[in-house]
PDB file of all heavy atoms in Angstrom:
ATOM      1  N   VAL A   1      11.195  -2.874   4.401  1.00  0.00           N
ATOM      2  CA  VAL A   1      11.407  -4.281   4.721  1.00  0.00           C
ATOM      3  C   VAL A   1      10.068  -5.024   4.810  1.00  0.00           C
ATOM      4  O   VAL A   1       9.836  -5.995   4.095  1.00  0.00           O
ATOM      5  CB  VAL A   1      12.191  -4.459   6.033  1.00  0.00           C
ATOM      6  CG1 VAL A   1      12.329  -5.940   6.379  1.00  0.00           C
ATOM      7  CG2 VAL A   1      13.565  -3.798   5.923  1.00  0.00           C
ATOM      8  N   ALA A   2       9.198  -4.566   5.702  1.00  0.00           N
ATOM      9  CA  ALA A   2       7.911  -5.228   5.912  1.00  0.00           C
ATOM     10  C   ALA A   2       6.960  -4.270   6.601  1.00  0.00           C
ATOM     11  O   ALA A   2       7.384  -3.340   7.281  1.00  0.00           O
ATOM     12  CB  ALA A   2       8.078  -6.503   6.747  1.00  0.00           C
ATOM     13  N   ALA A   3       5.656  -4.510   6.448  1.00  0.00           N
ATOM     14  CA  ALA A   3       4.651  -3.677   7.095  1.00  0.00           C
ATOM     15  C   ALA A   3       3.424  -4.506   7.426  1.00  0.00           C
ATOM     16  O   ALA A   3       3.193  -5.574   6.843  1.00  0.00           O
ATOM     17  CB  ALA A   3       4.264  -2.492   6.211  1.00  0.00           C
ATOM     18  N   LEU A   4       2.631  -3.995   8.355  1.00  0.00           N
ATOM     19  CA  LEU A   4       1.437  -4.684   8.820  1.00  0.00           C
ATOM     20  C   LEU A   4       0.337  -3.685   9.116  1.00  0.00           C
ATOM     21  O   LEU A   4       0.562  -2.690   9.806  1.00  0.00           O
ATOM     22  CB  LEU A   4       1.769  -5.518  10.074  1.00  0.00           C
ATOM     23  CG  LEU A   4       0.650  -6.324  10.731  1.00  0.00           C
ATOM     24  CD1 LEU A   4       1.216  -7.595  11.341  1.00  0.00           C
ATOM     25  CD2 LEU A   4      -0.054  -5.505  11.806  1.00  0.00           C
ATOM     26  N   ARG A   5      -0.853  -3.941   8.587  1.00  0.00           N
ATOM     27  CA  ARG A   5      -2.040  -3.178   8.938  1.00  0.00           C
ATOM     28  C   ARG A   5      -2.555  -3.685  10.269  1.00  0.00           C
ATOM     29  O   ARG A   5      -2.859  -4.877  10.404  1.00  0.00           O
ATOM     30  CB  ARG A   5      -3.123  -3.332   7.873  1.00  0.00           C
ATOM     31  CG  ARG A   5      -2.748  -2.844   6.482  1.00  0.00           C
ATOM     32  CD  ARG A   5      -2.727  -1.339   6.410  1.00  0.00           C
ATOM     33  NE  ARG A   5      -2.687  -0.874   5.030  1.00  0.00           N
ATOM     34  CZ  ARG A   5      -2.484   0.373   4.654  1.00  0.00           C
ATOM     35  NH1 ARG A   5      -2.300   1.321   5.572  1.00  0.00           N
ATOM     36  NH2 ARG A   5      -2.461   0.697   3.374  1.00  0.00           N
ATOM     37  N   TRP A   6      -2.640  -2.789  11.267  1.00  0.00           N
ATOM     38  CA  TRP A   6      -2.988  -3.221  12.611  1.00  0.00           C
ATOM     39  C   TRP A   6      -4.363  -3.860  12.683  1.00  0.00           C
ATOM     40  O   TRP A   6      -4.552  -4.873  13.352  1.00  0.00           O
ATOM     41  CB  TRP A   6      -2.892  -2.050  13.583  1.00  0.00           C
ATOM     42  CG  TRP A   6      -2.623  -2.485  14.980  1.00  0.00           C
ATOM     43  CD1 TRP A   6      -3.493  -2.477  16.026  1.00  0.00           C
ATOM     44  CD2 TRP A   6      -1.385  -2.987  15.486  1.00  0.00           C
ATOM     45  NE1 TRP A   6      -2.879  -2.953  17.155  1.00  0.00           N
ATOM     46  CE2 TRP A   6      -1.577  -3.270  16.854  1.00  0.00           C
ATOM     47  CE3 TRP A   6      -0.126  -3.224  14.915  1.00  0.00           C
ATOM     48  CZ2 TRP A   6      -0.557  -3.785  17.651  1.00  0.00           C
ATOM     49  CZ3 TRP A   6       0.882  -3.737  15.710  1.00  0.00           C
ATOM     50  CH2 TRP A   6       0.658  -4.007  17.058  1.00  0.00           C
ATOM     51  N   SER A   7      -5.311  -3.269  11.996  1.00  0.00           N
ATOM     52  CA  SER A   7      -6.653  -3.829  11.935  1.00  0.00           C
ATOM     53  C   SER A   7      -6.748  -4.760  10.732  1.00  0.00           C
ATOM     54  O   SER A   7      -6.651  -4.330   9.591  1.00  0.00           O
ATOM     55  CB  SER A   7      -7.688  -2.713  11.828  1.00  0.00           C
ATOM     56  OG  SER A   7      -8.998  -3.246  11.759  1.00  0.00           O
ATOM     57  N   GLY A   8      -6.906  -6.051  10.989  1.00  0.00           N
ATOM     58  CA  GLY A   8      -7.008  -7.032   9.925  1.00  0.00           C
ATOM     59  C   GLY A   8      -5.747  -7.837   9.699  1.00  0.00           C
ATOM     60  O   GLY A   8      -5.819  -8.988   9.242  1.00  0.00           O
ATOM     61  N   GLY A   9      -4.584  -7.256   9.987  1.00  0.00           N
ATOM     62  CA  GLY A   9      -3.335  -7.992   9.928  1.00  0.00           C
ATOM     63  C   GLY A   9      -2.752  -8.198   8.543  1.00  0.00           C
ATOM     64  O   GLY A   9      -1.886  -9.065   8.369  1.00  0.00           O
ATOM     65  N   THR A  10      -3.176  -7.428   7.545  1.00  0.00           N
ATOM     66  CA  THR A  10      -2.596  -7.534   6.209  1.00  0.00           C
ATOM     67  C   THR A  10      -1.106  -7.210   6.256  1.00  0.00           C
ATOM     68  O   THR A  10      -0.699  -6.233   6.881  1.00  0.00           O
ATOM     69  CB  THR A  10      -3.293  -6.578   5.240  1.00  0.00           C
ATOM     70  OG1 THR A  10      -4.695  -6.858   5.225  1.00  0.00           O
ATOM     71  CG2 THR A  10      -2.742  -6.745   3.830  1.00  0.00           C
ATOM     72  N   THR A  11      -0.295  -8.037   5.596  1.00  0.00           N
ATOM     73  CA  THR A  11       1.154  -7.867   5.624  1.00  0.00           C
ATOM     74  C   THR A  11       1.710  -7.570   4.247  1.00  0.00           C
ATOM     75  O   THR A  11       1.129  -7.939   3.222  1.00  0.00           O
ATOM     76  CB  THR A  11       1.849  -9.110   6.194  1.00  0.00           C
ATOM     77  OG1 THR A  11       1.492 -10.255   5.413  1.00  0.00           O
ATOM     78  CG2 THR A  11       1.440  -9.342   7.644  1.00  0.00           C
ATOM     79  N   TYR A  12       2.881  -6.917   4.235  1.00  0.00           N
ATOM     80  CA  TYR A  12       3.587  -6.545   3.021  1.00  0.00           C
ATOM     81  C   TYR A  12       5.065  -6.824   3.239  1.00  0.00           C
ATOM     82  O   TYR A  12       5.590  -6.582   4.324  1.00  0.00           O
ATOM     83  CB  TYR A  12       3.391  -5.055   2.703  1.00  0.00           C
ATOM     84  CG  TYR A  12       1.955  -4.599   2.695  1.00  0.00           C
ATOM     85  CD1 TYR A  12       1.285  -4.327   3.879  1.00  0.00           C
ATOM     86  CD2 TYR A  12       1.265  -4.433   1.499  1.00  0.00           C
ATOM     87  CE1 TYR A  12      -0.037  -3.907   3.877  1.00  0.00           C
ATOM     88  CE2 TYR A  12      -0.054  -4.011   1.485  1.00  0.00           C
ATOM     89  CZ  TYR A  12      -0.699  -3.749   2.675  1.00  0.00           C
ATOM     90  OH  TYR A  12      -2.006  -3.330   2.658  1.00  0.00           O
ATOM     91  N   TYR A  13       5.750  -7.326   2.199  1.00  0.00           N
ATOM     92  CA  TYR A  13       7.166  -7.657   2.312  1.00  0.00           C
ATOM     93  C   TYR A  13       7.936  -7.186   1.090  1.00  0.00           C
ATOM     94  O   TYR A  13       7.442  -7.253  -0.035  1.00  0.00           O
ATOM     95  CB  TYR A  13       7.375  -9.163   2.448  1.00  0.00           C
ATOM     96  CG  TYR A  13       6.850  -9.753   3.723  1.00  0.00           C
ATOM     97  CD1 TYR A  13       5.594 -10.339   3.772  1.00  0.00           C
ATOM     98  CD2 TYR A  13       7.610  -9.735   4.883  1.00  0.00           C
ATOM     99  CE1 TYR A  13       5.108 -10.885   4.947  1.00  0.00           C
ATOM    100  CE2 TYR A  13       7.137 -10.278   6.062  1.00  0.00           C
ATOM    101  CZ  TYR A  13       5.884 -10.851   6.090  1.00  0.00           C
ATOM    102  OH  TYR A  13       5.410 -11.397   7.262  1.00  0.00           O
ATOM    103  N   ALA A  14       9.154  -6.732   1.332  1.00  0.00           N
ATOM    104  CA  ALA A  14      10.076  -6.495   0.233  1.00  0.00           C
ATOM    105  C   ALA A  14      10.487  -7.825  -0.378  1.00  0.00           C
ATOM    106  O   ALA A  14      10.606  -8.835   0.328  1.00  0.00           O
ATOM    107  CB  ALA A  14      11.310  -5.740   0.730  1.00  0.00           C
ATOM    108  N   ASP A  15      10.721  -7.842  -1.682  1.00  0.00           N
ATOM    109  CA  ASP A  15      11.115  -9.078  -2.352  1.00  0.00           C
ATOM    110  C   ASP A  15      12.401  -9.670  -1.763  1.00  0.00           C
ATOM    111  O   ASP A  15      12.565 -10.889  -1.722  1.00  0.00           O
ATOM    112  CB  ASP A  15      11.305  -8.833  -3.846  1.00  0.00           C
ATOM    113  CG  ASP A  15       9.997  -8.602  -4.572  1.00  0.00           C
ATOM    114  OD1 ASP A  15       8.932  -8.964  -4.038  1.00  0.00           O
ATOM    115  OD2 ASP A  15      10.037  -8.056  -5.692  1.00  0.00           O
ATOM    116  N   SER A  16      13.287  -8.825  -1.290  1.00  0.00           N
ATOM    117  CA  SER A  16      14.570  -9.274  -0.789  1.00  0.00           C
ATOM    118  C   SER A  16      14.472 -10.074   0.508  1.00  0.00           C
ATOM    119  O   SER A  16      15.408 -10.802   0.855  1.00  0.00           O
ATOM    120  CB  SER A  16      15.504  -8.075  -0.580  1.00  0.00           C
ATOM    121  OG  SER A  16      14.956  -7.160   0.347  1.00  0.00           O
ATOM    122  N   VAL A  17      13.358  -9.952   1.232  1.00  0.00           N
ATOM    123  CA  VAL A  17      13.212 -10.646   2.509  1.00  0.00           C
ATOM    124  C   VAL A  17      12.063 -11.641   2.512  1.00  0.00           C
ATOM    125  O   VAL A  17      11.912 -12.403   3.483  1.00  0.00           O
ATOM    126  CB  VAL A  17      13.039  -9.663   3.678  1.00  0.00           C
ATOM    127  CG1 VAL A  17      14.172  -8.643   3.688  1.00  0.00           C
ATOM    128  CG2 VAL A  17      11.684  -8.969   3.613  1.00  0.00           C
ATOM    129  N   LYS A  18      11.272 -11.665   1.476  1.00  0.00           N
ATOM    130  CA  LYS A  18      10.114 -12.556   1.412  1.00  0.00           C
ATOM    131  C   LYS A  18      10.558 -14.014   1.542  1.00  0.00           C
ATOM    132  O   LYS A  18      11.479 -14.461   0.868  1.00  0.00           O
ATOM    133  CB  LYS A  18       9.362 -12.333   0.103  1.00  0.00           C
ATOM    134  CG  LYS A  18       7.992 -12.982   0.046  1.00  0.00           C
ATOM    135  CD  LYS A  18       7.244 -12.575  -1.233  1.00  0.00           C
ATOM    136  CE  LYS A  18       7.028 -11.073  -1.306  1.00  0.00           C
ATOM    137  NZ  LYS A  18       6.284 -10.674  -2.535  1.00  0.00           N
ATOM    138  N   GLY A  19       9.892 -14.739   2.432  1.00  0.00           N
ATOM    139  CA  GLY A  19      10.241 -16.126   2.686  1.00  0.00           C
ATOM    140  C   GLY A  19      11.255 -16.313   3.792  1.00  0.00           C
ATOM    141  O   GLY A  19      11.434 -17.440   4.274  1.00  0.00           O
ATOM    142  N   ARG A  20      11.923 -15.235   4.201  1.00  0.00           N
ATOM    143  CA  ARG A  20      12.908 -15.312   5.275  1.00  0.00           C
ATOM    144  C   ARG A  20      12.473 -14.546   6.523  1.00  0.00           C
ATOM    145  O   ARG A  20      12.746 -14.971   7.641  1.00  0.00           O
ATOM    146  CB  ARG A  20      14.261 -14.772   4.808  1.00  0.00           C
ATOM    147  CG  ARG A  20      14.864 -15.556   3.652  1.00  0.00           C
ATOM    148  CD  ARG A  20      16.290 -15.095   3.365  1.00  0.00           C
ATOM    149  NE  ARG A  20      16.342 -13.683   2.976  1.00  0.00           N
ATOM    150  CZ  ARG A  20      16.996 -12.739   3.647  1.00  0.00           C
ATOM    151  NH1 ARG A  20      17.673 -13.044   4.750  1.00  0.00           N
ATOM    152  NH2 ARG A  20      17.000 -11.488   3.203  1.00  0.00           N
ATOM    153  N   PHE A  21      11.819 -13.403   6.320  1.00  0.00           N
ATOM    154  CA  PHE A  21      11.378 -12.557   7.427  1.00  0.00           C
ATOM    155  C   PHE A  21       9.874 -12.670   7.595  1.00  0.00           C
ATOM    156  O   PHE A  21       9.135 -12.842   6.616  1.00  0.00           O
ATOM    157  CB  PHE A  21      11.726 -11.092   7.175  1.00  0.00           C
ATOM    158  CG  PHE A  21      13.190 -10.758   7.187  1.00  0.00           C
ATOM    159  CD1 PHE A  21      14.163 -11.744   7.267  1.00  0.00           C
ATOM    160  CD2 PHE A  21      13.597  -9.433   7.111  1.00  0.00           C
ATOM    161  CE1 PHE A  21      15.507 -11.436   7.272  1.00  0.00           C
ATOM    162  CE2 PHE A  21      14.938  -9.107   7.115  1.00  0.00           C
ATOM    163  CZ  PHE A  21      15.897 -10.104   7.197  1.00  0.00           C
ATOM    164  N   THR A  22       9.404 -12.533   8.829  1.00  0.00           N
ATOM    165  CA  THR A  22       7.986 -12.529   9.131  1.00  0.00           C
ATOM    166  C   THR A  22       7.661 -11.378  10.070  1.00  0.00           C
ATOM    167  O   THR A  22       8.298 -11.228  11.107  1.00  0.00           O
ATOM    168  CB  THR A  22       7.540 -13.850   9.784  1.00  0.00           C
ATOM    169  OG1 THR A  22       7.887 -14.949   8.935  1.00  0.00           O
ATOM    170  CG2 THR A  22       6.033 -13.848  10.011  1.00  0.00           C
ATOM    171  N   ILE A  23       6.682 -10.568   9.697  1.00  0.00           N
ATOM    172  CA  ILE A  23       6.213  -9.498  10.560  1.00  0.00           C
ATOM    173  C   ILE A  23       4.924  -9.955  11.239  1.00  0.00           C
ATOM    174  O   ILE A  23       4.053 -10.535  10.597  1.00  0.00           O
ATOM    175  CB  ILE A  23       6.005  -8.186   9.767  1.00  0.00           C
ATOM    176  CG1 ILE A  23       5.660  -7.028  10.707  1.00  0.00           C
ATOM    177  CG2 ILE A  23       4.949  -8.348   8.687  1.00  0.00           C
ATOM    178  CD1 ILE A  23       5.675  -5.664  10.012  1.00  0.00           C
ATOM    179  N   PHE A  24       4.822  -9.728  12.530  1.00  0.00           N
ATOM    180  CA  PHE A  24       3.613 -10.097  13.246  1.00  0.00           C
ATOM    181  C   PHE A  24       3.438  -9.195  14.454  1.00  0.00           C
ATOM    182  O   PHE A  24       4.347  -8.448  14.818  1.00  0.00           O
ATOM    183  CB  PHE A  24       3.606 -11.579  13.643  1.00  0.00           C
ATOM    184  CG  PHE A  24       4.715 -11.994  14.568  1.00  0.00           C
ATOM    185  CD1 PHE A  24       4.485 -12.144  15.926  1.00  0.00           C
ATOM    186  CD2 PHE A  24       5.981 -12.270  14.079  1.00  0.00           C
ATOM    187  CE1 PHE A  24       5.499 -12.557  16.783  1.00  0.00           C
ATOM    188  CE2 PHE A  24       7.007 -12.677  14.925  1.00  0.00           C
ATOM    189  CZ  PHE A  24       6.768 -12.820  16.269  1.00  0.00           C
TER     190      PHE A  24
END
């Protein structure tokens, strides 16, 4: 679904949720 690098905060999203979901 989504992922986040703890150091730096780089995020990754599946295409199916991009624009609707936010990981933070």
Side-chain angles (χ1 to χ4, degrees):
V1 177
L4 180 147
R5 299 286 194 189
W6 206 252
S7 180
T10 303
T11 58
Y12 309 80
Y13 293 96
D15 289 341
S16 60
V17 306
K18 192 173 299 181
R20 298 188 299 119
F21 292 7
T22 304
I23 186 170
F24 62 101

